[in-house]
Amino acid sequence: MPRSLAEGLATAAVLQEQWRFAAARDELTAALALVAESTDRLAAITGRRMFAEVLRELGEIDEAYEIVGPVVAECERRLGDGHPATARATTVLATLLHARGELDAAVEVYGRVLDGRFAETGPAGRAVRLARAHLALVYRDRGDIGAARLALDTAYKVLRRAYGITDVDAIRFGVDLAALCHQDGDLLAARRLLAVARAGCQVRLEPWHPLSTLVDRELSAVEPAMPGKPVDPGPGRITPDEWAERARRAPRVPPGPAYRPPAAPVPVPAVPVQRLPPPGAPGTAPAVRERPRPPAGVATVRPPRRRVRVALAVGGFLSVAAIVVVALVATGSGRDGDRPGPTTATGGPAPPPGAGPAGTGREPLRVRLRDAGASLVVDWQPPAGGPAPVVVALATDDRPATVVATVPAGTTEYTLPVGAGGRYCVIVAAVYPGETESAATSVCTRRAASAG
């Protein structure tokens, strides 16, 4: 038995949030018996309005309607039609008309809350926001799913922004909006809304709370069950007392033996360490570096260059193994300082200047080579035909060329570690899908035996 009307209202509000509506009804019944002893008329009006809300949740719609009608009239008479208590009672009246199926009357009463007399940022803000959300459900019950989803989406976002995802009303309307999305065929939006609702439940409510159970059930309906996911117990959900009883009956696992350090140090077997070869050693792949082109005025080595054609194996685009290396043997056919004319990989006559292989119209890349001591740095202008991967090959001392890398589109520089002495030719070609040949450019240099 509450000691005062205010104490009873506070306890009933907590029970309402826990969805313990039967207990809230009993608490309000006892609290309203103290109305005669209280001089707080606003508390008395609030208690009767809360009593109507609890009866509505218990399904006693007609009894709740008989209570809240006089409450609205008393609020307007005693407090005025702009008082926050009037807004709250009027919203409850509209929800009861809605539950009775009197949709036109419900829309009219919702309109009295939303006509601008109550400020959404003031004390009546929650009543205004709830009225807007409930009004969206009227559209749903009239069969207009699209209008209902649009209106409820707006109202739900306002509730979340004002009270956060842990607010019970925000969670409930999030579930209603997810149901509309599900009905509209938008399962992705439904899953997203229910995931947010579940996060709010996990923070604010206990696992056995009916709203948590509702969210889990709705979420399982719009997403495939994961392996090992617990089955929703449904109506026979576990209560807090059952959780406590299960924990009490659970077998106790005895603790393991306490750790004791060994009396003598444990010998650690020697593990052979494999050392990586230094950069540039035979068999190691050269590193790819992307860095800005050198500024204007920097001296670079411009060895004689020559153009060749690279034939590509059909069906293996962008694969290093797909490059026919035999196509690059022409790089060793000249001497330093020679500028041989364009040739093709097959040894046939070259196409006209400016034409790519097989009439593709591809221009060879503009390439330059720089001797950096322990390595050769080759860079090129972006392909005129648009971004494309670039094949880099190397020929040493007139031996056949070997493909060393295929760098991604957008790369304009590559570094090749080389040894001291010898003649080196670097071949660079842009590779385009669907083309069996690619116009390539070869640049060569001869390094002294003491270089590097």
Side-chain angles (χ1 to χ4, degrees):
M1 180 73 180
R3 291 189 296 272
S4 65
L5 177 59
E7 181 186 50
L9 297 183
T11 303
V14 173
L15 294 172
Q16 273 186 278
E17 181 171 315
Q18 296 173 349
W19 278 29
R20 298 172 60 186
F21 298 116
R25 177 188 56 193
D26 296 341
E27 186 71 23
L28 287 169
T29 300
L32 291 173
L34 303 174
V35 167
E37 305 174 8
S38 174
T39 58
D40 189 346
R41 300 307 305 168
L42 180 58
I45 291 173
T46 300
R48 291 161 60 198
R49 187 257 303 165
M50 291 175 61
F51 194 71
E53 287 179 321
V54 168
L55 293 178
R56 179 193 64 194
E57 299 297 337
L58 291 172
E60 301 175 24
I61 304 301
D62 292 334
E63 184 178 350
Y65 179 73
E66 294 297 328
I67 292 173
V68 80
V71 170
V72 173
E74 185 176 355
C75 285
E76 293 176 342
R77 184 178 67 254
R78 288 179 176 271
L79 305 175
D81 59 1
H83 196 278
T86 305
R88 299 185 189 104
T90 304
T91 299
V92 175
L93 174 61
T95 61
L96 290 168
L97 289 168
H98 187 177
R100 285 160 59 96
E102 302 177 31
L103 301 185
D104 292 338
V107 170
E108 188 274 329
V109 177
Y110 283 132
R112 285 156 53 183
V113 182
L114 300 172
D115 62 3
R117 75 182 72 179
F118 302 107
E120 187 170 332
T121 57
R126 180 177 284 270
V128 175
R129 296 178 181 111
L130 292 178
R132 186 182 295 111
H134 282 293
L135 179 59
L137 298 182
V138 175
Y139 303 144
R140 176 201 63 187
D141 295 340
R142 283 177 169 173
D144 193 346
I145 301 301
R149 179 179 174 182
L150 181 62
L152 187 55
D153 181 70
T154 301
Y156 168 70
K157 289 176 180 175
V158 171
L159 282 170
R160 275 185 52 182
R161 186 164 55 247
Y163 308 115
I165 66 171
T166 62
D167 181 76
V168 174
D169 288 321
I171 295 173
R172 292 184 67 173
F173 283 110
V175 174
D176 289 330
L177 180 57
L180 288 173
C181 294
H182 189 187
Q183 190 174 353
D184 206 22
D186 192 349
L187 296 183
L188 181 61
R191 282 196 293 268
R192 183 169 59 249
L193 289 163
L194 290 170
V196 172
R198 182 167 63 178
C201 289
Q202 290 172 341
V203 173
R204 182 73 173 269
L205 308 175
E206 299 295 340
W208 53 79
H209 193 286
L211 187 53
S212 300
T213 304
L214 172 64
V215 170
D216 287 340
R217 183 167 63 247
E218 292 296 321
L219 190 57
S220 66
V222 298
E223 70 177 4
M226 299 298 291
K229 183 178 181 179
V231 179
D232 178 18
R237 57 184 177 273
I238 299 175
T239 64
D241 294 337
E242 291 177 48
W243 277 110
E245 180 62 20
R246 288 190 181 190
R248 187 184 64 79
R249 291 185 315 206
R252 302 294 178 187
V253 179
Y259 171 76
R260 296 184 185 205
V266 179
V268 179
V271 179
V273 178
Q274 181 180 3
R275 300 188 180 276
L276 297 177
T284 60
V288 178
R289 292 190 299 173
E290 291 190 49
R291 54 186 186 184
R293 296 179 60 81
V298 176
T300 58
V301 178
R302 289 186 173 273
R305 67 174 61 179
R306 52 201 285 193
R307 295 177 178 176
V308 296
R309 304 287 173 185
V310 181
L312 307 181
V314 178
F317 176 62
L318 294 188
S319 172
V320 173
I323 306 300
V324 181
V325 179
V326 177
L328 303 175
V329 297
T331 60
S333 61
R335 298 177 179 175
D336 296 325
D338 291 344
R339 292 181 176 268
T343 60
T344 62
T346 56
T360 60
R362 306 290 187 195
E363 280 285 346
L365 297 176
R366 297 174 178 266
V367 182
R368 61 180 179 177
L369 187 65
R370 184 172 70 254
D371 193 330
S375 60
L376 296 177
V377 179
V378 59
D379 61 66
W380 55 88
Q381 295 286 344
V390 174
V391 173
V392 181
L394 178 67
T396 305
D397 294 330
D398 295 333
R399 288 193 292 269
T402 302
V403 175
V404 295
T406 301
V407 298
T411 306
T412 59
E413 184 179 287
Y414 191 79
T415 301
L416 301 96
V418 293
R423 183 172 185 266
Y424 296 90
C425 288
V426 181
I427 303 96
V428 183
V431 182
Y432 290 89
E435 298 181 5
T436 58
E437 287 187 345
S438 181
T441 303
S442 172
V443 288
C444 303
T445 186
R446 183 176 296 278
R447 309 189 74 218
S450 60

